[in-house]
Amino acid sequence: MKKFLSLSLAMLMMASVLAGCGGSSSAPAGSAAPAASGSSSAAAPVATNKGGMEGGTSLNFTTGGDQGTYYGFGGVLAGKVGESTSTTVTAITSGGSQANIEAMEAGDAQLGFVQSDVMAYAYNGTNLFDGSKIDTFSTVADLYMEQVQIVTLDANIKSVADLKGKNVSIGAAGSGVYYNAIDVLGAYGLTENDIKPTFQSFGDSTEALQDGKIDAAFVVAGAPTTAVTSLAATKPVYLVSLDDEHIDALIAESPYYSKNIISKDAYGTPEDVTTVAVGAVVIARDDVSEADVYNFLYGIFENLDAITAAHAKGAELNLEFAASVTAVPYHPGAAKYFAEKGITVPTK
């Protein structure tokens, strides 16, 4: 018995000595290994496959209503930027162009989608922003064209002139769509008093059309637009064309418009539709870092195939068009990205 106890004690002492010499580790699985003598105690950086500039932060990106192109496409862009760079972007719904500029001015967002005409209104203090000029933002990129779509279920409404006396949705009160509608009506010699106006969002407008409460609706967004696509899935949809004479007069008065064709394939209309369009521009607060804006463009234009596969508007992305804005100077981060592609853009 004494021999047995002596042997056991000897074995315990030997195990203790081995443990003290580091023969085993008491660190739990998954914990960092002890730093070697003379080395930094900080963990080694983890390698990633992300590109762009280092030092990106988290940005809020205001888009539009959940039935519009801004939100759907904005979500795709935000996801790709986050996957590809050190910048994280969160796309959120909003009231559209004017609301996006005001949210950025208030510091609630750092990026926003805006119509090119509304951007000019804010920067110059006109129309929607008469007496309340906002110029604390810069251009990031012009991404695609937003068509002025005059949507109806009545095949007898073939011209803007045919809207006289009709119930027509002309966008939310004071919205960019409202001013587009007033511009187009004006080109045909009509005013708001010549129609029975309602002031509704895209989704509410298409619901009102489906329920027979209105005769036509102005929708200004990249075609195909979710709200109109949903309507076209249930009933035959018609778009009202503008003729060249009135388009030329409109552009002469408001040069931020351009002639545009909506393919009949967009909503299954009987034929292609001629209309006007404005640009869908991304802007950023002036105090957003150069790295974040550079990364936003990097995430988009270095992943064109993936973005096009995820959303139809991806097919319209083009570097030269993105760098074509003249109404508002570009952000330094955008200028840096474009310069690397051999394109010079104006900055503040």
Side-chain angles (χ1 to χ4, degrees):
M1 184 66 176
K2 288 181 180 180
K3 289 182 179 180
F4 176 78
L5 287 173
S6 297
L7 182 59
S8 297
L9 287 170
M11 292 176 65
L12 286 170
M13 289 175 66
M14 183 174 292
S16 177
V17 170
L18 287 171
C21 292
S24 65
S25 173
S26 59
S31 64
S37 177
S39 68
S40 170
S41 61
V46 178
T48 70
N49 293 322
K50 294 189 175 183
M53 295 180 67
E54 296 180 355
T57 63
S58 296
L59 308 176
N60 284 334
F61 178 24
T62 49
T63 57
D66 58 11
Q67 293 294 303
T69 306
Y70 278 176
Y71 180 64
F73 193 40
V76 171
L77 301 181
K80 193 53 64 178
V81 172
E83 292 171 13
S84 306
T85 75
S86 63
T87 296
T88 300
V89 179
T90 301
I92 55 179
T93 59
S94 75
S97 297
Q98 181 181 9
N100 293 348
I101 293 173
E102 291 172 344
M104 290 171 57
E105 177 70 3
D108 296 328
Q110 293 74 47
L111 296 170
F113 254 131
V114 294
Q115 292 178 199
S116 58
D117 54 331
V118 177
M119 175 180 72
Y121 298 158
Y123 203 74
N124 297 313
T126 61
N127 290 358
L128 289 168
F129 294 88
D130 187 16
S132 56
K133 177 178 178 178
I134 297 176
D135 59 5
T136 54
F137 62 87
S138 301
T139 299
V140 176
D142 201 348
L143 295 187
Y144 61 89
M145 297 304 293
E146 297 187 83
Q147 293 90 352
V148 176
Q149 305 171 58
I150 307 173
V151 186
T152 182
L153 301 180
D154 184 351
N156 294 316
I157 298 178
K158 299 181 182 297
S159 166
V160 174
D162 295 333
L163 296 177
K164 186 173 183 177
K166 303 291 187 182
N167 293 307
V168 183
S169 173
I170 53 176
S175 67
V177 177
Y178 169 82
Y179 280 97
N180 298 143
I182 295 303
D183 286 346
V184 170
L185 290 170
Y188 282 79
L190 301 176
T191 69
E192 189 176 337
N193 295 327
D194 292 313
I195 61 172
K196 299 172 183 176
T198 60
F199 307 93
Q200 297 173 302
S201 67
F202 299 165
D204 290 342
S205 292
T206 52
E207 285 182 15
L209 279 169
Q210 187 161 10
D211 295 340
K213 295 179 180 178
I214 60 174
D215 301 301
F218 280 81
V219 172
V220 182
T225 306
T226 302
V228 184
T229 300
S230 297
L231 178 64
T234 61
K235 294 186 176 181
V237 163
Y238 303 93
L239 298 182
V240 178
S241 270
L242 279 62
D243 60 84
D244 287 344
E245 178 185 352
H246 290 92
I247 288 175
D248 291 343
L250 177 58
I251 294 174
E253 181 70 23
S254 304
Y256 40 74
Y257 289 108
S258 60
K259 183 177 177 180
N260 194 272
I261 304 296
I262 300 176
S263 169
K264 63 183 180 181
D265 297 329
Y267 305 115
T269 53
E271 56 190 15
D272 292 346
V273 174
T274 304
T275 186
V276 291
V278 292
V281 183
V282 176
I283 60 174
R285 282 176 57 99
D286 287 342
D287 59 5
V288 173
S289 74
E290 179 180 292
D292 280 325
V293 173
Y294 179 97
N295 286 346
F296 187 83
L297 289 173
Y298 181 97
I300 295 172
F301 288 100
E302 305 300 324
N303 294 284
L304 290 179
D305 289 345
I307 290 173
T308 301
H311 196 285
K313 282 295 161 190
E316 297 182 35
L317 294 172
N318 176 278
L319 267 177
E320 286 73 22
F321 180 70
S324 66
V325 172
T326 58
V328 177
Y330 280 79
H331 190 282
K336 177 178 174 62
Y337 182 82
F338 288 123
E340 292 180 1
K341 303 297 182 180
I343 302 172
T344 300
V345 294
T347 57
K348 292 182 177 179

